[in-house]
Amino acid sequence: MATAKPVALARMLPLHPRRRWRAESTRAVPPSITCSADAGGELPARLQPNARRPLWHGGGFSLGVDLGAARTGLAVGRGITQPRPLTVLKLRGEKLELMLLDVAQQQEADELIVGLPVSADGSETPQSNKVRSVVGRLAVQAADRGLRVYLQDEHGTSIDALGYMISRGVKRSVRDVKSDAYAAVMILERYFSSLGQGAQIVLPRQQELQDKLILKLSKYAEF
């Protein structure tokens, strides 16, 4: 039987102007694991979200992700255009995480915007911890491909998605199948309309992976 690979952990950082990097503990971190040392310095420009970048200054496509227990909706968008629904994946675990990265690259996206479930008052829920756990693993693999990962408050996006579909005449049979993808559209809408305020970047704890991510992003920017 194959030996399981150790799971690398990631940290989540709110994207506030001139916010300094700081290792933060979360409930998802096991007690036996310690946070990496404070990386110090300001968040590098290459790690800023596309929602804050003009298209002529490195703003690329963004993949919206509405994570669910059984279904995951995807959408793609860029700042000046209306996000569009892509597909709904019925995968879980590592297969889902790898597929998300593959789709991002196929769509020429350089970042993934993953919805974070929260209550109406902004407090996190048990489902929030589950999403953070998945996204933490995803961020480690994404860094190796030069992709950034962010969390975006998704409260109310499912209801918004229903209204959006009805207003555009989407048939009920289609709504039932693609509702998760349209929820991902709403996640991107919120992300772009707020210029990325409140989004949280998710980074591998290992400094070498952070450096590798920034190096790859710098290389891509040269083309």
Side-chain angles (χ1 to χ4, degrees):
M1 182 173 64
T3 302
K5 295 181 179 179
V7 177
L9 299 179
R11 59 178 175 175
M12 292 73 169
L13 300 175
L15 289 174
H16 298 299
R18 302 185 68 81
R19 175 71 177 267
R20 292 186 178 278
W21 295 18
R22 183 176 300 171
E24 300 177 356
S25 62
T26 68
R27 290 186 295 274
V29 178
S32 59
I33 302 296
T34 57
C35 296
S36 58
D38 194 328
E42 297 174 2
L43 195 66
R46 295 299 176 196
L47 297 182
Q48 293 293 331
N50 288 340
R52 294 187 185 177
R53 303 184 190 191
L55 295 181
W56 58 87
H57 192 60
F61 286 96
S62 306
L63 184 72
V65 182
D66 179 49
L67 277 176
R71 310 197 319 171
T72 296
L74 302 182
V76 67
R78 208 174 185 190
I80 61 172
T81 61
Q82 174 70 37
R84 60 183 176 86
L86 281 179
T87 188
V88 175
L89 302 176
K90 297 180 180 180
L91 300 171
R92 299 179 68 180
E94 186 177 0
K95 289 183 178 179
L96 172 62
E97 295 158 16
L98 292 175
M99 181 59 73
L100 291 176
L101 299 177
D102 288 343
V103 173
Q105 292 185 314
Q106 291 167 8
Q107 295 296 322
E108 298 183 352
D110 54 13
E111 64 179 17
L112 294 87
I113 312 300
V114 184
L116 178 67
V118 295
S119 302
D121 62 1
S123 60
E124 296 197 10
T125 67
Q127 185 62 25
S128 305
N129 289 335
K130 294 179 181 179
V131 169
R132 284 185 179 276
S133 178
V134 173
V135 172
R137 296 192 303 270
L138 181 66
V140 174
Q141 300 178 74
D144 194 52
R145 301 198 194 192
L147 301 171
R148 305 183 305 276
V149 179
Y150 303 87
L151 286 168
Q152 172 67 48
D153 170 9
E154 70 168 22
H155 175 71
T157 51
S158 294
I159 297 175
D160 293 343
L162 177 59
Y164 181 88
M165 289 185 286
I166 292 174
S167 69
R168 282 158 178 74
V170 179
K171 295 181 179 180
R172 184 169 183 173
S173 58
V174 177
R175 298 201 303 262
D176 292 341
V177 174
K178 301 202 69 173
S179 60
D180 300 278
Y182 278 93
V185 169
M186 295 297 99
I187 290 171
L188 285 183
E189 278 279 353
R190 181 171 299 177
Y191 164 70
F192 283 119
S193 64
S194 66
L195 299 180
Q197 295 295 328
Q200 294 178 313
I201 189 166
V202 186
L203 294 170
R205 288 190 182 280
Q206 295 87 340
Q207 186 63 48
E208 60 270 22
L209 282 179
Q210 294 180 20
D211 294 340
K212 185 175 183 179
L213 171 61
I214 295 173
L215 178 61
K216 285 198 172 189
L217 290 171
S218 300
K219 288 182 178 179
Y220 295 158
E222 295 174 358
F223 294 97

